[in-house]
């Protein structure tokens, strides 16, 4: 049973445009959400996080939005750059200290 | 200076063999994890250790045995390898403050 779902396996965007990656979760106990980025042959690296007390967190070109009532979060990247091409994983946990549950990932391709 | 390092990076072996993957972190974190990324690309939690004690053991066959000699190391030993064990195994450690996971580069295990 997937508690964290990323229903789009891939996304293609042109350089300079906005990339929007979506994530849905089913467990209402989740209160901490993270996005990870993964290049081939490397481990996932932390990108940005948000706790359930917020609905938006911004870090440079990256913004995460959380809609608790819809159990949905999204990652916005603007402007997108070719170096952003990677697999993006959404992850959630019940507290900041417990194990992260990951989605299946979305492969983002940014073309120049 | 690598924060979370795993060895070996690649491992090819025959069915029925026993193999180990080592993991070390120099971040001073108390909690370490093993995740498995299978052919469907899901990142699934396998084990979690906090300060050398097992705190999470997902439904993993008992052929898999984690060993934590100290809080900076979490090794994974696999007995009687099966074809289905072929995957990329990621070690991670967690920051108690932010809840962020730091991943190693992964160890790709291929069972023939």
């Amino acid at each position: 049973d997937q508690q964290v779902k990323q229903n789009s396996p891939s996304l293609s965007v042109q350089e300079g445009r906005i990339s929007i990656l979506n994530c849905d979760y089913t467990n209402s106990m989740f209160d901490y959400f993270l996005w990870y980025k993964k290049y081939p042959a490397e481990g996932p690296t932390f990108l940005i996080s948000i706790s359930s007390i917020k609905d938006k967190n911004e870090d440079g070109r990256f913004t995460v939005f959380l809609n608790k009532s819809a159990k949905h979060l999204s990652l916005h990247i603007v402007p997108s750059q070719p170096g952003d091409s990677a697999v993006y994983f959404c992850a959630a946990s019940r507290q900041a200290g417990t194990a992260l549950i990951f989605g299946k990932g979305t492969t983002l391709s940014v073309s120049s | 200076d690598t924060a979370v390092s795993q060895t070996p990076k690649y491992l090819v072996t025959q069915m029925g063999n026993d193999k180990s993957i080592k993991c070390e972190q120099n971040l001073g974190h108390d909690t370490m994890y093993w995740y498995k990324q299978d052919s469907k690309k899901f990142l699934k939690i396998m084990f979690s250790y906090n300060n050398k004690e097992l705190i999470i053991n997902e439904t993993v066959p008992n052929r898999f045995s984690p060993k934590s000699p100290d809080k900076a190391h979490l090794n994974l030993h696999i007995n009687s390898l099966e074809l289905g064990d072929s995957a990329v195994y990621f070690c991670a450690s967690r920051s108690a403050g932010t809840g962020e996971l730091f991943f190693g580069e992964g160890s790709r295990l291929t069972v023939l």
Side-chain angles (χ1 to χ4, degrees), chain A residues 1-5 23-34 50-53 66-68 71 73 90-96 98-103:
Chain A
D1 179 33
Q2 283 180 252
Q3 298 185 68
V4 178
K5 300 177 185 180
C23 177
D24 297 294
Y25 61 95
T26 57
N27 190 337
S28 57
M29 300 296 289
F30 286 147
D31 59 6
Y32 187 58
F33 305 90
L34 304 89
I50 188 167
S51 75
S52 59
I53 61 172
L66 176 63
N67 182 334
K68 289 187 290 294
K71 295 193 180 70
L73 63 154
C90 171
S93 70
R94 283 173 289 173
Q95 304 171 34
T98 56
L100 296 183
I101 308 299
F102 283 84

PDB file of all heavy atoms in Angstrom, chain A residues 1-5 23-34 50-53 66-68 71 73 90-96 98-103:
ATOM      1  N   ASP A   1       0.842  -1.190   0.000  1.00  0.00           N
ATOM      2  CA  ASP A   1       0.000   0.000   0.000  1.00  0.00           C
ATOM      3  C   ASP A   1       0.881   1.245   0.000  1.00  0.00           C
ATOM      4  O   ASP A   1       1.621   1.507   0.942  1.00  0.00           O
ATOM      5  CB  ASP A   1      -0.914  -0.005   1.228  1.00  0.00           C
ATOM      6  CG  ASP A   1      -1.791   1.225   1.269  1.00  0.00           C
ATOM      7  OD1 ASP A   1      -2.149   1.694   0.175  1.00  0.00           O
ATOM      8  OD2 ASP A   1      -2.113   1.689   2.367  1.00  0.00           O
ATOM      9  N   GLN A   2       0.770   2.021  -1.095  1.00  0.00           N
ATOM     10  CA  GLN A   2       1.616   3.193  -1.206  1.00  0.00           C
ATOM     11  C   GLN A   2       1.052   4.327  -0.384  1.00  0.00           C
ATOM     12  O   GLN A   2      -0.045   4.819  -0.671  1.00  0.00           O
ATOM     13  CB  GLN A   2       1.678   3.654  -2.660  1.00  0.00           C
ATOM     14  CG  GLN A   2       2.565   2.837  -3.560  1.00  0.00           C
ATOM     15  CD  GLN A   2       2.534   3.402  -4.969  1.00  0.00           C
ATOM     16  OE1 GLN A   2       1.963   2.810  -5.868  1.00  0.00           O
ATOM     17  NE2 GLN A   2       3.126   4.560  -5.137  1.00  0.00           N
ATOM     18  N   GLN A   3       1.803   4.774   0.583  1.00  0.00           N
ATOM     19  CA  GLN A   3       1.348   5.902   1.395  1.00  0.00           C
ATOM     20  C   GLN A   3       1.748   7.232   0.775  1.00  0.00           C
ATOM     21  O   GLN A   3       1.178   8.271   1.122  1.00  0.00           O
ATOM     22  CB  GLN A   3       1.928   5.788   2.805  1.00  0.00           C
ATOM     23  CG  GLN A   3       1.478   4.540   3.549  1.00  0.00           C
ATOM     24  CD  GLN A   3       1.983   4.562   4.961  1.00  0.00           C
ATOM     25  OE1 GLN A   3       1.572   5.375   5.777  1.00  0.00           O
ATOM     26  NE2 GLN A   3       2.890   3.651   5.277  1.00  0.00           N
ATOM     27  N   VAL A   4       2.753   7.204  -0.071  1.00  0.00           N
ATOM     28  CA  VAL A   4       3.207   8.411  -0.753  1.00  0.00           C
ATOM     29  C   VAL A   4       3.211   8.096  -2.251  1.00  0.00           C
ATOM     30  O   VAL A   4       3.858   7.146  -2.678  1.00  0.00           O
ATOM     31  CB  VAL A   4       4.621   8.827  -0.292  1.00  0.00           C
ATOM     32  CG1 VAL A   4       5.093  10.055  -1.054  1.00  0.00           C
ATOM     33  CG2 VAL A   4       4.627   9.086   1.214  1.00  0.00           C
ATOM     34  N   LYS A   5       2.472   8.900  -2.999  1.00  0.00           N
ATOM     35  CA  LYS A   5       2.319   8.595  -4.422  1.00  0.00           C
ATOM     36  C   LYS A   5       2.785   9.761  -5.290  1.00  0.00           C
ATOM     37  O   LYS A   5       2.404  10.910  -5.051  1.00  0.00           O
ATOM     38  CB  LYS A   5       0.847   8.322  -4.740  1.00  0.00           C
ATOM     39  CG  LYS A   5       0.257   7.165  -3.979  1.00  0.00           C
ATOM     40  CD  LYS A   5      -1.205   6.999  -4.296  1.00  0.00           C
ATOM     41  CE  LYS A   5      -1.823   5.906  -3.427  1.00  0.00           C
ATOM     42  NZ  LYS A   5      -3.246   5.708  -3.703  1.00  0.00           N
ATOM     43  N   CYS A  23       2.800  15.393  -5.597  1.00  0.00           N
ATOM     44  CA  CYS A  23       2.914  14.265  -4.673  1.00  0.00           C
ATOM     45  C   CYS A  23       1.636  14.207  -3.839  1.00  0.00           C
ATOM     46  O   CYS A  23       1.142  15.243  -3.367  1.00  0.00           O
ATOM     47  CB  CYS A  23       4.133  14.469  -3.781  1.00  0.00           C
ATOM     48  SG  CYS A  23       4.401  13.218  -2.524  1.00  0.00           S
ATOM     49  N   ASP A  24       1.094  13.030  -3.665  1.00  0.00           N
ATOM     50  CA  ASP A  24      -0.087  12.832  -2.820  1.00  0.00           C
ATOM     51  C   ASP A  24       0.252  11.832  -1.722  1.00  0.00           C
ATOM     52  O   ASP A  24       1.070  10.930  -1.941  1.00  0.00           O
ATOM     53  CB  ASP A  24      -1.266  12.292  -3.644  1.00  0.00           C
ATOM     54  CG  ASP A  24      -1.695  13.264  -4.707  1.00  0.00           C
ATOM     55  OD1 ASP A  24      -2.188  14.337  -4.350  1.00  0.00           O
ATOM     56  OD2 ASP A  24      -1.518  12.934  -5.908  1.00  0.00           O
ATOM     57  N   TYR A  25      -0.382  11.983  -0.584  1.00  0.00           N
ATOM     58  CA  TYR A  25      -0.152  11.035   0.490  1.00  0.00           C
ATOM     59  C   TYR A  25      -1.481  10.615   1.093  1.00  0.00           C
ATOM     60  O   TYR A  25      -2.485  11.303   0.976  1.00  0.00           O
ATOM     61  CB  TYR A  25       0.796  11.611   1.547  1.00  0.00           C
ATOM     62  CG  TYR A  25       0.309  12.864   2.244  1.00  0.00           C
ATOM     63  CD1 TYR A  25      -0.354  12.802   3.461  1.00  0.00           C
ATOM     64  CD2 TYR A  25       0.524  14.111   1.676  1.00  0.00           C
ATOM     65  CE1 TYR A  25      -0.784  13.953   4.110  1.00  0.00           C
ATOM     66  CE2 TYR A  25       0.087  15.264   2.306  1.00  0.00           C
ATOM     67  CZ  TYR A  25      -0.556  15.176   3.517  1.00  0.00           C
ATOM     68  OH  TYR A  25      -0.995  16.320   4.138  1.00  0.00           O
ATOM     69  N   THR A  26      -1.463   9.448   1.707  1.00  0.00           N
ATOM     70  CA  THR A  26      -2.709   8.912   2.240  1.00  0.00           C
ATOM     71  C   THR A  26      -2.760   8.920   3.769  1.00  0.00           C
ATOM     72  O   THR A  26      -3.843   8.901   4.340  1.00  0.00           O
ATOM     73  CB  THR A  26      -2.929   7.466   1.765  1.00  0.00           C
ATOM     74  OG1 THR A  26      -1.806   6.671   2.170  1.00  0.00           O
ATOM     75  CG2 THR A  26      -3.039   7.412   0.248  1.00  0.00           C
ATOM     76  N   ASN A  27      -1.595   8.955   4.407  1.00  0.00           N
ATOM     77  CA  ASN A  27      -1.556   8.849   5.865  1.00  0.00           C
ATOM     78  C   ASN A  27      -1.694  10.238   6.493  1.00  0.00           C
ATOM     79  O   ASN A  27      -0.794  11.068   6.385  1.00  0.00           O
ATOM     80  CB  ASN A  27      -0.225   8.198   6.278  1.00  0.00           C
ATOM     81  CG  ASN A  27      -0.190   7.833   7.738  1.00  0.00           C
ATOM     82  OD1 ASN A  27      -0.914   8.402   8.561  1.00  0.00           O
ATOM     83  ND2 ASN A  27       0.642   6.868   8.086  1.00  0.00           N
ATOM     84  N   SER A  28      -2.808  10.489   7.154  1.00  0.00           N
ATOM     85  CA  SER A  28      -3.047  11.810   7.734  1.00  0.00           C
ATOM     86  C   SER A  28      -2.154  12.086   8.942  1.00  0.00           C
ATOM     87  O   SER A  28      -2.114  13.210   9.443  1.00  0.00           O
ATOM     88  CB  SER A  28      -4.518  11.940   8.147  1.00  0.00           C
ATOM     89  OG  SER A  28      -4.857  10.915   9.057  1.00  0.00           O
ATOM     90  N   MET A  29      -1.421  11.065   9.384  1.00  0.00           N
ATOM     91  CA  MET A  29      -0.487  11.267  10.496  1.00  0.00           C
ATOM     92  C   MET A  29       0.834  11.891  10.040  1.00  0.00           C
ATOM     93  O   MET A  29       1.623  12.333  10.853  1.00  0.00           O
ATOM     94  CB  MET A  29      -0.194   9.926  11.186  1.00  0.00           C
ATOM     95  CG  MET A  29      -1.413   9.246  11.765  1.00  0.00           C
ATOM     96  SD  MET A  29      -2.144  10.213  13.093  1.00  0.00           S
ATOM     97  CE  MET A  29      -0.907   9.993  14.373  1.00  0.00           C
ATOM     98  N   PHE A  30       1.072  11.886   8.745  1.00  0.00           N
ATOM     99  CA  PHE A  30       2.301  12.501   8.244  1.00  0.00           C
ATOM    100  C   PHE A  30       2.277  13.987   8.555  1.00  0.00           C
ATOM    101  O   PHE A  30       1.259  14.666   8.326  1.00  0.00           O
ATOM    102  CB  PHE A  30       2.444  12.319   6.735  1.00  0.00           C
ATOM    103  CG  PHE A  30       2.814  10.931   6.308  1.00  0.00           C
ATOM    104  CD1 PHE A  30       2.331  10.430   5.106  1.00  0.00           C
ATOM    105  CD2 PHE A  30       3.642  10.134   7.062  1.00  0.00           C
ATOM    106  CE1 PHE A  30       2.661   9.152   4.672  1.00  0.00           C
ATOM    107  CE2 PHE A  30       3.973   8.858   6.655  1.00  0.00           C
ATOM    108  CZ  PHE A  30       3.488   8.365   5.455  1.00  0.00           C
ATOM    109  N   ASP A  31       3.394  14.493   9.071  1.00  0.00           N
ATOM    110  CA  ASP A  31       3.414  15.922   9.355  1.00  0.00           C
ATOM    111  C   ASP A  31       4.729  16.573   8.946  1.00  0.00           C
ATOM    112  O   ASP A  31       4.995  17.720   9.304  1.00  0.00           O
ATOM    113  CB  ASP A  31       3.131  16.184  10.841  1.00  0.00           C
ATOM    114  CG  ASP A  31       4.128  15.511  11.746  1.00  0.00           C
ATOM    115  OD1 ASP A  31       5.117  14.935  11.243  1.00  0.00           O
ATOM    116  OD2 ASP A  31       3.949  15.554  12.969  1.00  0.00           O
ATOM    117  N   TYR A  32       5.538  15.839   8.229  1.00  0.00           N
ATOM    118  CA  TYR A  32       6.824  16.391   7.790  1.00  0.00           C
ATOM    119  C   TYR A  32       7.101  15.830   6.413  1.00  0.00           C
ATOM    120  O   TYR A  32       7.028  14.616   6.207  1.00  0.00           O
ATOM    121  CB  TYR A  32       7.915  15.981   8.785  1.00  0.00           C
ATOM    122  CG  TYR A  32       9.256  16.619   8.555  1.00  0.00           C
ATOM    123  CD1 TYR A  32       9.401  18.003   8.541  1.00  0.00           C
ATOM    124  CD2 TYR A  32      10.393  15.845   8.376  1.00  0.00           C
ATOM    125  CE1 TYR A  32      10.626  18.591   8.328  1.00  0.00           C
ATOM    126  CE2 TYR A  32      11.636  16.430   8.180  1.00  0.00           C
ATOM    127  CZ  TYR A  32      11.744  17.800   8.154  1.00  0.00           C
ATOM    128  OH  TYR A  32      12.965  18.392   7.947  1.00  0.00           O
ATOM    129  N   PHE A  33       7.390  16.727   5.472  1.00  0.00           N
ATOM    130  CA  PHE A  33       7.502  16.327   4.070  1.00  0.00           C
ATOM    131  C   PHE A  33       8.799  16.872   3.481  1.00  0.00           C
ATOM    132  O   PHE A  33       9.206  17.994   3.797  1.00  0.00           O
ATOM    133  CB  PHE A  33       6.297  16.865   3.277  1.00  0.00           C
ATOM    134  CG  PHE A  33       4.981  16.453   3.869  1.00  0.00           C
ATOM    135  CD1 PHE A  33       4.359  17.242   4.824  1.00  0.00           C
ATOM    136  CD2 PHE A  33       4.372  15.263   3.489  1.00  0.00           C
ATOM    137  CE1 PHE A  33       3.155  16.857   5.405  1.00  0.00           C
ATOM    138  CE2 PHE A  33       3.166  14.873   4.053  1.00  0.00           C
ATOM    139  CZ  PHE A  33       2.569  15.662   5.005  1.00  0.00           C
ATOM    140  N   LEU A  34       9.409  16.065   2.638  1.00  0.00           N
ATOM    141  CA  LEU A  34      10.687  16.467   2.063  1.00  0.00           C
ATOM    142  C   LEU A  34      10.703  16.121   0.584  1.00  0.00           C
ATOM    143  O   LEU A  34      10.013  15.206   0.132  1.00  0.00           O
ATOM    144  CB  LEU A  34      11.857  15.736   2.742  1.00  0.00           C
ATOM    145  CG  LEU A  34      11.991  15.856   4.257  1.00  0.00           C
ATOM    146  CD1 LEU A  34      11.201  14.756   4.967  1.00  0.00           C
ATOM    147  CD2 LEU A  34      13.455  15.753   4.675  1.00  0.00           C
ATOM    148  N   ILE A  50       9.106  20.713   4.329  1.00  0.00           N
ATOM    149  CA  ILE A  50       8.042  21.539   4.887  1.00  0.00           C
ATOM    150  C   ILE A  50       7.365  20.770   6.005  1.00  0.00           C
ATOM    151  O   ILE A  50       7.163  19.554   5.894  1.00  0.00           O
ATOM    152  CB  ILE A  50       7.039  21.960   3.780  1.00  0.00           C
ATOM    153  CG1 ILE A  50       6.035  22.986   4.326  1.00  0.00           C
ATOM    154  CG2 ILE A  50       6.305  20.746   3.208  1.00  0.00           C
ATOM    155  CD1 ILE A  50       5.222  23.672   3.237  1.00  0.00           C
ATOM    156  N   SER A  51       7.045  21.447   7.074  1.00  0.00           N
ATOM    157  CA  SER A  51       6.298  20.786   8.139  1.00  0.00           C
ATOM    158  C   SER A  51       4.824  21.134   7.978  1.00  0.00           C
ATOM    159  O   SER A  51       4.468  22.089   7.289  1.00  0.00           O
ATOM    160  CB  SER A  51       6.787  21.218   9.515  1.00  0.00           C
ATOM    161  OG  SER A  51       6.332  22.511   9.811  1.00  0.00           O
ATOM    162  N   SER A  52       3.985  20.365   8.632  1.00  0.00           N
ATOM    163  CA  SER A  52       2.540  20.504   8.423  1.00  0.00           C
ATOM    164  C   SER A  52       1.967  21.794   8.999  1.00  0.00           C
ATOM    165  O   SER A  52       0.816  22.132   8.738  1.00  0.00           O
ATOM    166  CB  SER A  52       1.795  19.308   9.023  1.00  0.00           C
ATOM    167  OG  SER A  52       2.070  19.211  10.402  1.00  0.00           O
ATOM    168  N   ILE A  53       2.784  22.525   9.753  1.00  0.00           N
ATOM    169  CA  ILE A  53       2.266  23.790  10.292  1.00  0.00           C
ATOM    170  C   ILE A  53       2.375  24.911   9.253  1.00  0.00           C
ATOM    171  O   ILE A  53       1.869  26.008   9.468  1.00  0.00           O
ATOM    172  CB  ILE A  53       2.993  24.197  11.587  1.00  0.00           C
ATOM    173  CG1 ILE A  53       4.500  24.414  11.346  1.00  0.00           C
ATOM    174  CG2 ILE A  53       2.760  23.157  12.668  1.00  0.00           C
ATOM    175  CD1 ILE A  53       5.212  25.004  12.553  1.00  0.00           C
ATOM    176  N   LEU A  66       2.129  22.898   0.430  1.00  0.00           N
ATOM    177  CA  LEU A  66       1.439  21.807   1.102  1.00  0.00           C
ATOM    178  C   LEU A  66      -0.039  22.135   1.263  1.00  0.00           C
ATOM    179  O   LEU A  66      -0.394  23.182   1.805  1.00  0.00           O
ATOM    180  CB  LEU A  66       2.062  21.542   2.475  1.00  0.00           C
ATOM    181  CG  LEU A  66       1.382  20.481   3.344  1.00  0.00           C
ATOM    182  CD1 LEU A  66       1.434  19.117   2.678  1.00  0.00           C
ATOM    183  CD2 LEU A  66       2.033  20.434   4.731  1.00  0.00           C
ATOM    184  N   ASN A  67      -0.885  21.235   0.810  1.00  0.00           N
ATOM    185  CA  ASN A  67      -2.329  21.359   0.975  1.00  0.00           C
ATOM    186  C   ASN A  67      -2.784  20.177   1.829  1.00  0.00           C
ATOM    187  O   ASN A  67      -2.999  19.067   1.334  1.00  0.00           O
ATOM    188  CB  ASN A  67      -3.025  21.349  -0.392  1.00  0.00           C
ATOM    189  CG  ASN A  67      -4.527  21.522  -0.276  1.00  0.00           C
ATOM    190  OD1 ASN A  67      -5.138  21.183   0.735  1.00  0.00           O
ATOM    191  ND2 ASN A  67      -5.138  22.046  -1.312  1.00  0.00           N
ATOM    192  N   LYS A  68      -2.911  20.412   3.130  1.00  0.00           N
ATOM    193  CA  LYS A  68      -3.189  19.305   4.060  1.00  0.00           C
ATOM    194  C   LYS A  68      -4.575  18.726   3.840  1.00  0.00           C
ATOM    195  O   LYS A  68      -4.773  17.517   3.954  1.00  0.00           O
ATOM    196  CB  LYS A  68      -3.048  19.785   5.504  1.00  0.00           C
ATOM    197  CG  LYS A  68      -1.608  20.050   5.914  1.00  0.00           C
ATOM    198  CD  LYS A  68      -1.504  20.348   7.388  1.00  0.00           C
ATOM    199  CE  LYS A  68      -2.094  21.681   7.768  1.00  0.00           C
ATOM    200  NZ  LYS A  68      -1.328  22.811   7.182  1.00  0.00           N
ATOM    201  N   LYS A  71      -4.294  16.479   1.117  1.00  0.00           N
ATOM    202  CA  LYS A  71      -3.155  15.555   1.270  1.00  0.00           C
ATOM    203  C   LYS A  71      -2.289  15.585   0.014  1.00  0.00           C
ATOM    204  O   LYS A  71      -2.005  14.561  -0.614  1.00  0.00           O
ATOM    205  CB  LYS A  71      -3.629  14.139   1.568  1.00  0.00           C
ATOM    206  CG  LYS A  71      -4.353  13.973   2.905  1.00  0.00           C
ATOM    207  CD  LYS A  71      -4.483  12.495   3.248  1.00  0.00           C
ATOM    208  CE  LYS A  71      -5.202  12.292   4.562  1.00  0.00           C
ATOM    209  NZ  LYS A  71      -6.633  12.636   4.475  1.00  0.00           N
ATOM    210  N   LEU A  73       1.113  17.692  -1.939  1.00  0.00           N
ATOM    211  CA  LEU A  73       2.161  18.700  -1.954  1.00  0.00           C
ATOM    212  C   LEU A  73       2.765  18.768  -3.347  1.00  0.00           C
ATOM    213  O   LEU A  73       2.644  17.822  -4.146  1.00  0.00           O
ATOM    214  CB  LEU A  73       3.233  18.453  -0.896  1.00  0.00           C
ATOM    215  CG  LEU A  73       4.100  17.225  -0.922  1.00  0.00           C
ATOM    216  CD1 LEU A  73       5.409  17.526  -0.217  1.00  0.00           C
ATOM    217  CD2 LEU A  73       3.431  16.075  -0.185  1.00  0.00           C
ATOM    218  N   CYS A  90       9.500  12.477  -3.524  1.00  0.00           N
ATOM    219  CA  CYS A  90       8.746  13.065  -2.437  1.00  0.00           C
ATOM    220  C   CYS A  90       8.833  12.095  -1.260  1.00  0.00           C
ATOM    221  O   CYS A  90       8.827  10.872  -1.463  1.00  0.00           O
ATOM    222  CB  CYS A  90       7.297  13.228  -2.908  1.00  0.00           C
ATOM    223  SG  CYS A  90       6.116  13.716  -1.655  1.00  0.00           S
ATOM    224  N   ALA A  91       8.942  12.604  -0.024  1.00  0.00           N
ATOM    225  CA  ALA A  91       9.032  11.735   1.144  1.00  0.00           C
ATOM    226  C   ALA A  91       8.248  12.347   2.288  1.00  0.00           C
ATOM    227  O   ALA A  91       8.086  13.573   2.365  1.00  0.00           O
ATOM    228  CB  ALA A  91      10.488  11.524   1.554  1.00  0.00           C
ATOM    229  N   ALA A  92       7.772  11.496   3.178  1.00  0.00           N
ATOM    230  CA  ALA A  92       6.972  11.968   4.302  1.00  0.00           C
ATOM    231  C   ALA A  92       7.280  11.152   5.541  1.00  0.00           C
ATOM    232  O   ALA A  92       7.684   9.987   5.451  1.00  0.00           O
ATOM    233  CB  ALA A  92       5.482  11.859   3.964  1.00  0.00           C
ATOM    234  N   SER A  93       7.058  11.758   6.696  1.00  0.00           N
ATOM    235  CA  SER A  93       7.195  11.022   7.949  1.00  0.00           C
ATOM    236  C   SER A  93       6.203  11.568   8.957  1.00  0.00           C
ATOM    237  O   SER A  93       5.639  12.647   8.790  1.00  0.00           O
ATOM    238  CB  SER A  93       8.621  11.120   8.504  1.00  0.00           C
ATOM    239  OG  SER A  93       8.899  12.423   8.961  1.00  0.00           O
ATOM    240  N   ARG A  94       5.996  10.790  10.037  1.00  0.00           N
ATOM    241  CA  ARG A  94       5.028  11.199  11.058  1.00  0.00           C
ATOM    242  C   ARG A  94       5.595  12.250  11.983  1.00  0.00           C
ATOM    243  O   ARG A  94       4.877  13.039  12.551  1.00  0.00           O
ATOM    244  CB  ARG A  94       4.557   9.987  11.849  1.00  0.00           C
ATOM    245  CG  ARG A  94       3.548   9.169  11.091  1.00  0.00           C
ATOM    246  CD  ARG A  94       3.212   7.905  11.808  1.00  0.00           C
ATOM    247  NE  ARG A  94       4.328   6.967  11.765  1.00  0.00           N
ATOM    248  CZ  ARG A  94       4.347   5.827  12.436  1.00  0.00           C
ATOM    249  NH1 ARG A  94       3.348   5.487  13.193  1.00  0.00           N
ATOM    250  NH2 ARG A  94       5.385   5.018  12.344  1.00  0.00           N
ATOM    251  N   GLN A  95       6.920  12.216  12.128  1.00  0.00           N
ATOM    252  CA  GLN A  95       7.576  13.251  12.928  1.00  0.00           C
ATOM    253  C   GLN A  95       8.894  13.489  12.238  1.00  0.00           C
ATOM    254  O   GLN A  95       9.348  12.659  11.468  1.00  0.00           O
ATOM    255  CB  GLN A  95       7.874  12.776  14.344  1.00  0.00           C
ATOM    256  CG  GLN A  95       6.711  12.278  15.132  1.00  0.00           C
ATOM    257  CD  GLN A  95       7.177  11.652  16.424  1.00  0.00           C
ATOM    258  OE1 GLN A  95       8.151  12.084  17.029  1.00  0.00           O
ATOM    259  NE2 GLN A  95       6.488  10.624  16.861  1.00  0.00           N
ATOM    260  N   ALA A  96       9.574  14.567  12.567  1.00  0.00           N
ATOM    261  CA  ALA A  96      10.858  14.859  11.923  1.00  0.00           C
ATOM    262  C   ALA A  96      11.871  13.775  12.223  1.00  0.00           C
ATOM    263  O   ALA A  96      12.860  13.657  11.559  1.00  0.00           O
ATOM    264  CB  ALA A  96      11.390  16.207  12.387  1.00  0.00           C
ATOM    265  N   THR A  98      11.241  10.258  12.530  1.00  0.00           N
ATOM    266  CA  THR A  98      10.971   8.870  12.155  1.00  0.00           C
ATOM    267  C   THR A  98      11.359   8.605  10.706  1.00  0.00           C
ATOM    268  O   THR A  98      11.697   9.519   9.972  1.00  0.00           O
ATOM    269  CB  THR A  98       9.496   8.527  12.369  1.00  0.00           C
ATOM    270  OG1 THR A  98       8.693   9.451  11.622  1.00  0.00           O
ATOM    271  CG2 THR A  98       9.121   8.637  13.843  1.00  0.00           C
ATOM    272  N   ALA A  99      11.299   7.342  10.326  1.00  0.00           N
ATOM    273  CA  ALA A  99      11.745   6.947   8.987  1.00  0.00           C
ATOM    274  C   ALA A  99      10.927   7.648   7.919  1.00  0.00           C
ATOM    275  O   ALA A  99       9.726   7.874   8.061  1.00  0.00           O
ATOM    276  CB  ALA A  99      11.634   5.443   8.818  1.00  0.00           C
ATOM    277  N   LEU A 100      11.598   7.992   6.835  1.00  0.00           N
ATOM    278  CA  LEU A 100      10.916   8.611   5.708  1.00  0.00           C
ATOM    279  C   LEU A 100      10.315   7.548   4.810  1.00  0.00           C
ATOM    280  O   LEU A 100      10.934   6.532   4.527  1.00  0.00           O
ATOM    281  CB  LEU A 100      11.903   9.451   4.895  1.00  0.00           C
ATOM    282  CG  LEU A 100      12.534  10.661   5.577  1.00  0.00           C
ATOM    283  CD1 LEU A 100      13.431  11.402   4.601  1.00  0.00           C
ATOM    284  CD2 LEU A 100      11.462  11.592   6.109  1.00  0.00           C
ATOM    285  N   ILE A 101       9.102   7.821   4.361  1.00  0.00           N
ATOM    286  CA  ILE A 101       8.433   6.980   3.381  1.00  0.00           C
ATOM    287  C   ILE A 101       8.504   7.713   2.051  1.00  0.00           C
ATOM    288  O   ILE A 101       8.064   8.865   1.959  1.00  0.00           O
ATOM    289  CB  ILE A 101       6.961   6.728   3.763  1.00  0.00           C
ATOM    290  CG1 ILE A 101       6.850   6.204   5.204  1.00  0.00           C
ATOM    291  CG2 ILE A 101       6.317   5.762   2.777  1.00  0.00           C
ATOM    292  CD1 ILE A 101       7.556   4.897   5.452  1.00  0.00           C
ATOM    293  N   PHE A 102       9.032   7.046   1.049  1.00  0.00           N
ATOM    294  CA  PHE A 102       9.275   7.696  -0.233  1.00  0.00           C
ATOM    295  C   PHE A 102       8.222   7.334  -1.262  1.00  0.00           C
ATOM    296  O   PHE A 102       7.683   6.226  -1.264  1.00  0.00           O
ATOM    297  CB  PHE A 102      10.651   7.285  -0.774  1.00  0.00           C
ATOM    298  CG  PHE A 102      11.800   7.977  -0.099  1.00  0.00           C
ATOM    299  CD1 PHE A 102      12.305   7.488   1.098  1.00  0.00           C
ATOM    300  CD2 PHE A 102      12.367   9.102  -0.655  1.00  0.00           C
ATOM    301  CE1 PHE A 102      13.368   8.126   1.725  1.00  0.00           C
ATOM    302  CE2 PHE A 102      13.432   9.748  -0.034  1.00  0.00           C
ATOM    303  CZ  PHE A 102      13.932   9.260   1.154  1.00  0.00           C
ATOM    304  N   GLY A 103       7.999   8.274  -2.177  1.00  0.00           N
ATOM    305  CA  GLY A 103       7.240   7.993  -3.380  1.00  0.00           C
ATOM    306  C   GLY A 103       8.144   7.323  -4.398  1.00  0.00           C
ATOM    307  O   GLY A 103       9.328   7.103  -4.169  1.00  0.00           O
TER     308      GLY A 103
END
